[in-house]
Amino acid sequence: MSTPSGNDVDTHVQRAALITGAIAMSVVIIMGVGWFAVGRGAIEPVEGPPILPLALSGFGVLALIGAGAVSRMLLQAARSRTSTAERLGAASSAHIVGAALRESAAVVGLVATFISGDTTWVLALGALSLVAIGAAWPRRDVFEALARSDGA
């Protein structure tokens, strides 16, 4: 069993945190686009059933739940990798994929906002996305545990 230097773990944690932070920033941008577009009257609400934005938001919440499940499965798969570098790389990927999936809830909120003309959808789902991204932020202890693991 090989134990990597702290720099190897730090590099992977920093990479995952940097990309996760960029994804979180994109959620803020998505929220701003929705708020600005509706506030400026740049979009016309779509004629349709009023339940549509609510249904879309339900899918956004399901995306948040699914993101957690996918992240856990990817981290579990990372434990079975044989080399330390593979385990750490897979853990980085698991965090990044999870953050991207959590971001999708904000995108769904933006669509619901464009359909309804109501910023509540993008702001609520965007805030939930940010909370979920923050709750699943890449942590050094997770990477250290994978680095110490023997791939079994």
Side-chain angles (χ1 to χ4, degrees):
M1 173 176 78
S2 65
T3 303
S5 68
N7 289 338
D8 291 336
V9 170
D10 287 343
T11 298
H12 287 280
V13 173
Q14 288 169 359
R15 181 182 82 131
L18 177 68
I19 296 170
T20 299
I23 291 169
M25 182 53 77
S26 75
V27 171
V28 173
I29 292 168
I30 289 166
M31 293 167 71
V33 165
W35 178 78
F36 184 79
V38 170
R40 295 287 181 170
I43 60 165
E44 292 282 329
V46 175
E47 293 292 325
I51 193 77
L52 188 57
L54 182 60
L56 282 171
S57 294
F59 285 115
V61 171
L62 287 175
L64 291 173
I65 294 167
V70 169
S71 291
R72 283 188 299 278
M73 286 188 292
L74 291 173
L75 277 173
Q76 185 62 34
R79 288 181 181 89
S80 66
R81 302 290 176 101
T82 55
S83 77
T84 300
E86 287 176 340
R87 286 191 301 277
L88 292 174
S92 292
S93 296
H95 281 90
I96 293 164
V97 167
L101 290 172
R102 289 172 179 93
E103 174 193 35
S104 71
V107 173
V108 170
L110 183 63
V111 172
T113 289
F114 283 172
I115 288 171
S116 68
D118 182 359
T119 57
T120 302
W121 304 109
V122 71
L123 296 178
L125 285 172
L128 286 173
S129 292
L130 289 172
V131 168
I133 289 170
W137 197 262
R139 294 188 341 258
R140 191 174 205 292
D141 62 315
V142 171
F143 285 82
E144 286 175 338
L146 283 168
R148 287 190 302 268
S149 171
D150 61 0

